[in-house]
Structures are given as C-alpha cells and as structure tokens.
Amino acid sequence: MKLSNKFKFTGRRQTIIFAASLLLPLSVVAANQFPAPDAEQVKRGEYLSRAANCMGCHTTRGGEPYAGGRTLKTPFGEFVTPNITPDNETGIGRWSGEDFWQALHFGKGRDGSYLYPVFPYTEYTKVTREDADAIFAYLRSLKPVAQTNPPHKINPPYDNQFLLFLWRTWYFKEGVHEPDNSKSEEWNRGNYLVQGLGHCNACHTPRNVWGATQDSKLAGGEIMGTYWYAPSLISPLEAGVGEWSIDEIVKLLSTGINKHAVTSGPMATVVRQSLQYLSPEDIRAMAVYLQSIGEKRSRNEALKKIPPMPERVSKYLALGKPVYEKHCQGCHGESGEGVPGIYPPLAGNRNVTMTSPHNTIRSVLYGGFPPVTAGNPRPYGMPPFQHIIRDNEIAWVVSYIRNTWGNLGSLVSPEEVDSSRGNEF
C-alpha cells in the first residue's frame, strides 16, 4: 500500500513521533483504568477505614494523613508504615483493586513479595472483598501525597523472605469471616468487627518468641515496642466485660470512660481515632460480642478474702503511703475512691491490679488523658511524675495502690519501673 505524503517518514525523529502516537491511546487507558468512584462506596470505605483505624498506623505525628512514615518498633527490627495515598510514585496510585486485596487478604505486596505481619493481615484476612474494595475506593479518593518514607530496618536474619515464607506456613491461614449460624446477626457483626476489621487480636493476644499470636485469643499480651500491656478481654480480673451491662460496655468503647474504667495509652488512641466514630449499631454489636466472651466470676471467687501480709511486705507498702498522700490523694481520694466521671477510682480498679503492672507504672511516669470524644469532650488528665519522684518512690507508690483498699497485686521494684520506660505512645 502506498502511503500519502503526510505518512512518509524519512528520519528517526519522525519514527519516534509515530511510535509515540501509537502508544498514546494505551497510556490514556492506563491512566483511566479505574472507573469513576461510586460516591456511596467511597463513603462506606471512609467509615470502614475508621473502623480499621488505618490512619492510626499510616500517619506519623504531624504528617499528612495516610502518607505513612510512622516507625513501629519490634524485637525483629523497625518497620516504617507505607504511604497509602493515591500518589503514583510513592503511594498506591498504580495499584489495582486486586493488588489491594492481595495485601489485605493474603499479606502479599504488589510485586508478590511477602509482607511482614507488623501489618495485621493475619486479622485483615477476615475482611470481606466488598469491604476491602470500599476501603480501596476511599483511599483512591484521597489527595495524593508525594512522600517517600525511609526503608525498614529489619534485624538479620529476619530480613529473609524464605524465613517469612516459613513463618506464614506455620502461623498464617487466609480466610474471610465465617458467620456462626447459631448466633444472632448482631453477635456475628460484633465478631467480625473485633476479630477482623478492628484487629483486636493484634494487641490483646499473647505472642510467642516468633511474634505470632497464640491460640489464646484476646487473652492479653504485651504490645510489641510500646511497653504497654493490652489486657485480657476475657478475664474478669483484667478487661473482660462478661459482668458488665451492654450499655456500660458501649459507653467505654464510644467515650473512653464509664463508671468502671478509663481507657489509657494505646487504647485511648483507638477510641479517639476510631471507635467513637462507629455507628451505634456497630458499637452495640461489638459490646454484645465482647460480653459473650467475657468470663464471670463465681460468688466464692468474688468474695475471696485477702490473706494476711508478711511483715516485710507491710513495711515495703508503708513506704508508698506518704508518696500517695503527697502526690495522689488530692485527686484519687484518701480511700482510693476517686471522683466519678473525673478521676478514676484506684480501689477495685482492675487496671491497677492486673498481673502486669506496666500500665500503672507508665501512667505514673508519663501521666495521660482519656481520649477526647464527643461523649467526653473535656476529659480530666493526670500529670507526669517522672521528673518529680524517683524510680524507687514510683515503685513504692504503685506497690501501695496495688495492695490497699482491698486490692491485691504483686509488688513493684525500681528495676521494673526502669524497664517500663520506652517510647511514649
């Protein structure tokens, strides 16, 4: 076929232009491979991303939302959260819905590499495809943020994909949430939110030496790299709510405070960033599920008497009494009764008497506030005392409040106070 003059190419430059013109339609298709976002799907994705608290990890202090850059410290190294805004070069702008599903459900990166379980795909695998697609639609609707984050600093030999493959073989099994037909729809929704989207197991379950959550789900455990203890959601001696009413559980989850407890540390952050924004129906569903798994104490256990203290223990506790009277009694009361809705009681406070004293020690060291929520917009806080009283005095006063007014807990040493220090959450 004879080309007309306008299609004759006599030089390299013209050939390149012609080739580029052939590729242009392909580039346009690539740039527009995603259909226009559905407004309802994006709105639902925003809600689900709140429920999953994606912003909590994927936003560094003072940084752009969802642009990553937050460092998560673990015994295996330091992991830096990625940028999940739709920037083409530094974020997920070139990702497809299938890529996002692979990450959430299978724990695999866009290039097929295995992701480290510091990203809780071990829980997110239970998220439905419909919900995953909605979250992805919302993330793609965000303003792209060009932000290159530092690489992970993984300690050898854990920076090995083959070892990660073995870890996955032993400890990870993908699978979406399966409803229990013997339970109510509300219970199943709560189970899905707690075990899947809310990934509560990631903090509230003990881990083995390889960082894998153990079979005792929601039985409490140290939160890696934070020096905080996430209490058992089953035991009535820790944070189990089997003996509470549904309304009491709902109030704590949505406002961060009720007549029994005040959330602090990482849990206060979860309430502030995530739980307070959930619908009343979803918060109630979580409360129904949590109440159902919480154990109840027998009458004999509830009335169990505290045995007499050895003289040496009494002398050690006596060292904490003047420290309490000087620094704590003004707010928490002479008998540890607190002030309802303002200062939490210490008498009968499970957070004070838990097996692990870390949370109480850190509260004394660093102080803190309950979360600012719509239901508790101006919470009363506790000042830090690490610059006022010494480690041995902190050990004395924490031991005192753990073993006074009917409380019964282990004694605390100055060495435990020192070991409880770390990065403040």
Side-chain angles (χ1 to χ4, degrees):
M1 184 177 82
K2 185 176 180 181
L3 296 174
S4 64
N5 287 338
K6 67 177 180 179
F7 289 110
K8 288 182 180 179
F9 303 100
T10 57
R12 184 181 177 188
R13 180 171 177 271
Q14 290 90 337
T15 303
I16 293 174
I17 293 173
F18 177 66
S21 69
L22 293 177
L23 292 173
L24 180 60
L26 297 178
S27 64
V28 171
V29 171
N32 295 282
Q33 59 182 307
F34 298 100
D38 177 80
E40 283 301 314
Q41 186 186 41
V42 169
K43 184 178 179 181
R44 176 167 173 74
E46 181 179 14
Y47 175 81
L48 293 170
S49 71
R50 280 279 197 187
N53 197 23
C54 303
M55 186 186 294
C57 282
H58 290 277
T59 307
T60 191
R61 284 187 177 179
E64 291 284 345
Y66 297 100
R70 181 177 172 186
T71 300
L72 305 176
K73 294 185 178 182
T74 76
F76 311 100
E78 296 182 1
F79 295 85
V80 181
T81 57
N83 182 346
I84 56 172
T85 71
D87 181 68
N88 282 342
E89 303 304 324
T90 64
I92 61 171
R94 300 187 190 279
W95 283 41
S96 66
E98 187 64 27
D99 294 332
F100 189 76
W101 173 248
Q102 287 287 324
L104 213 65
H105 187 69
F106 296 104
K108 292 184 179 180
R110 185 170 179 247
D111 60 358
S113 62
Y114 298 125
L115 301 178
Y116 283 84
V118 68
F119 171 60
Y121 60 83
T122 46
E123 283 71 44
Y124 284 159
T125 189
K126 297 180 179 68
V127 173
T128 65
R129 180 63 189 261
E130 181 183 15
D131 282 355
D133 287 345
I135 293 171
F136 182 63
Y138 168 66
L139 293 176
R140 286 199 56 80
S141 74
L142 299 173
K143 179 188 73 173
V145 177
Q147 177 174 303
T148 302
N149 295 311
H152 301 318
K153 296 179 181 178
I154 307 173
N155 303 330
Y158 307 113
D159 55 345
N160 185 307
Q161 282 280 301
F162 179 69
L163 291 182
L164 190 51
F165 166 77
L166 293 178
W167 187 94
R168 291 166 57 93
T169 301
W170 292 326
Y171 301 119
F172 172 61
K173 182 180 179 181
E174 72 272 5
V176 295
H177 174 256
E178 295 291 343
D180 183 342
N181 294 326
S182 69
K183 304 291 186 181
S184 68
E185 183 177 343
E186 186 175 47
W187 184 95
N188 277 290
R189 176 63 177 172
N191 176 275
Y192 174 69
L193 290 168
V194 170
Q195 299 284 358
L197 202 62
H199 60 285
C200 302
N201 278 321
C203 290
H204 288 276
T205 298
R207 294 178 180 270
N208 63 20
V209 294
W210 303 110
T213 54
Q214 302 187 53
D215 293 335
S216 47
K217 300 293 187 184
L218 301 176
E222 300 286 343
I223 306 176
M224 287 195 300
T226 68
Y227 298 87
W228 285 91
Y229 175 77
S232 168
L233 300 182
I234 299 171
S235 170
L237 301 178
E238 296 198 1
V241 291
E243 299 173 342
W244 291 11
S245 71
I246 295 298
D247 288 343
E248 289 168 341
I249 304 169
V250 165
K251 186 172 183 182
L252 183 67
L253 294 177
S254 58
T255 70
I257 187 171
N258 68 10
K259 67 180 182 181
H260 300 291
V262 174
T263 58
S264 60
M267 188 61 196
T269 303
V270 170
V271 172
R272 176 175 57 83
Q273 294 181 337
S274 175
L275 295 181
Q276 70 162 318
Y277 297 102
L278 298 193
S279 68
E281 294 79 14
D282 276 351
I283 284 288
R284 180 179 172 82
M286 291 180 70
V288 166
Y289 174 72
L290 290 171
Q291 186 195 57
S292 76
I293 65 172
E295 297 173 349
K296 294 180 174 63
R297 291 173 292 184
S298 67
R299 178 174 175 79
N300 290 337
E301 185 180 4
L303 297 176
K304 186 167 57 178
K305 292 183 178 179
I306 298 175
M309 291 183 183
E311 184 179 357
R312 61 183 180 83
V313 174
S314 297
K315 287 182 177 180
Y316 188 76
L317 296 180
L319 296 172
K321 184 176 181 180
V323 182
Y324 179 83
E325 291 173 343
K326 180 177 181 180
H327 297 289
C328 315
Q329 185 170 295
C331 292
H332 294 286
E334 183 179 355
S335 301
E337 70 275 14
V339 179
I342 300 177
Y343 304 119
L346 301 179
N349 188 323
R350 298 182 302 178
N351 189 53
V352 169
T353 58
M354 285 190 301
T355 302
S356 171
H358 283 322
N359 294 359
T360 303
I361 294 171
R362 288 181 65 79
S363 293
V364 175
L365 283 170
Y366 301 111
F369 284 81
V372 176
T373 59
N376 188 31
R378 299 182 67 182
Y380 288 83
M382 176 173 168
F385 286 93
Q386 63 171 335
H387 61 297
I388 299 175
I389 55 180
R390 297 167 296 176
D391 282 6
N392 60 327
E393 293 175 305
I394 292 175
W396 297 341
V397 74
V398 173
S399 297
Y400 176 75
I401 66 176
R402 281 167 63 83
N403 292 278
T404 309
W405 318 301
N407 290 346
L408 180 61
S410 61
L411 301 182
V412 174
S413 68
E415 290 74 22
E416 284 181 287
V417 174
D418 185 62
S419 68
S420 295
R421 284 188 168 86
N423 291 332
E424 176 57 2
F425 196 89

